[in-house]
Amino acid sequence: MPFVLGVVSLLGVTAGAHRLWAHHTYSAAWPLRLFLVICHTVVGQESIYDWVLDHRIHHKYFGTDEDPYNYKRGIYYAHFVSKVETAHPRREEHEKEIDMSDLESDSIVMFQKRFYWLLMPVLCLLLPINAPVEYWGETIFNSFFVVGVLRYCVTLHLAWLVDSAVVVWGIDPEDKTTADSNLVFILTKSFWPFYHYLLPWDFNSGEYGSYEDGFSTAMIKV
């Protein structure tokens, strides 16, 4: 159960918050949007609205000191420190620069944003922990630590990789090549991650270093 729940819930981040809402790489009817919102809530990262806002700021200021996940400061910063440190002094100004009207017109996204404080603990923790105890006779101790704590931690770190994977997949923090360099089309390991920052609307670009592969891409194609 933890594995299946983790994989399915990550669709809310990859196919949902990232490819659908942040970059509009495809369109989706309300049943699919509702499913992806539920999946995203199960991850327990933050609301889709806030996730997209952060990600659009990340793209706008990619590789600069104002990038909330600046890869040039290394994997530890991009993956973890950036999540807990004080926001950039110009954060409020950055937020005003980002057009979020598309998400504000999506009633499902805004419902999640408004009631995230309630939806997250119920969908991310209470229901997943209770199910093994209620239906499969698992002990509350095992369910809490395996389905609750372990699954949540692993899934959360996989979700964070969407922001920090550019370091993992081969961009050297000292690399001076910018995201608008034509060298990206060589598509070597060093420059491949830059492709997403040139063409963010390509739904084939995987979050974990792949292209045209992966569960999220397959789901979108279907």
Side-chain angles (χ1 to χ4, degrees):
M1 177 182 172
F3 175 78
V4 174
L5 187 62
V7 171
V8 174
S9 62
L10 278 173
L11 284 173
V13 178
T14 57
H18 190 212
R19 301 195 210 182
L20 175 59
W21 282 291
H23 298 305
H24 296 293
T25 65
Y26 67 102
S27 58
W30 75 263
L32 178 56
R33 300 203 321 275
L34 177 60
F35 170 73
L36 291 173
V37 165
I38 293 173
C39 289
H40 185 274
T41 308
V42 173
V43 172
Q45 188 175 9
E46 59 185 336
S47 72
I48 288 175
Y49 185 95
D50 292 332
W51 194 101
V52 171
L53 178 59
D54 289 341
H55 194 72
R56 288 179 177 176
I57 293 174
H58 163 59
H59 270 257
K60 183 178 178 66
Y61 295 101
F62 177 65
T64 71
D65 289 338
E66 297 178 68
D67 178 356
Y69 316 119
N70 186 5
Y71 75 92
K72 292 181 179 178
R73 299 181 67 175
I75 179 64
Y76 182 65
Y77 176 84
H79 187 74
F80 179 72
V81 175
S82 62
K83 307 297 189 299
V84 298
E85 73 170 358
T86 303
H88 191 277
R90 295 184 59 215
R91 172 68 188 200
E92 292 186 6
E93 182 180 334
H94 293 162
E95 292 180 356
K96 294 177 181 178
E97 295 172 350
I98 304 300
D99 181 9
M100 297 292 288
S101 59
D102 53 331
L103 272 75
E104 290 166 359
S105 64
D106 190 322
S107 58
I108 298 177
V109 170
M110 296 309 292
F111 179 86
Q112 187 220 29
K113 180 179 185 295
R114 182 177 181 182
F115 295 103
Y116 190 75
W117 61 273
L118 175 62
L119 295 172
M120 182 274 185
V122 172
L123 295 178
C124 177
L125 298 173
L126 295 182
L127 291 181
I129 291 172
N130 180 68
V133 177
E134 186 72 23
Y135 300 107
W136 302 310
E138 188 58 80
T139 66
I140 185 65
F141 180 86
N142 288 342
S143 185
F144 175 78
F145 281 101
V146 176
V147 182
V149 177
L150 180 60
R151 185 268 313 171
Y152 178 60
C153 289
V154 171
T155 305
L156 189 62
H157 279 281
L158 289 173
W160 284 352
L161 272 176
V162 175
D163 303 316
S164 60
V166 287
V167 180
V168 178
W169 307 137
I171 293 183
D172 186 340
E174 301 301 322
D175 193 340
K176 303 303 181 182
T177 305
T178 60
D180 60 356
S181 170
N182 290 328
L183 289 175
V184 70
F185 293 105
I186 298 176
L187 300 185
T188 63
K189 182 179 179 182
S190 296
F191 296 112
W192 166 248
F194 280 134
Y195 174 80
H196 173 64
Y197 293 89
L198 281 172
L199 301 175
W201 52 85
D202 185 350
F203 76 88
N204 287 299
S205 293
E207 288 76 14
Y208 305 112
S210 64
Y211 187 80
E212 291 188 325
D213 296 319
F215 189 37
S216 299
T217 301
M219 189 211 75
I220 295 172
K221 288 180 178 179
V222 171

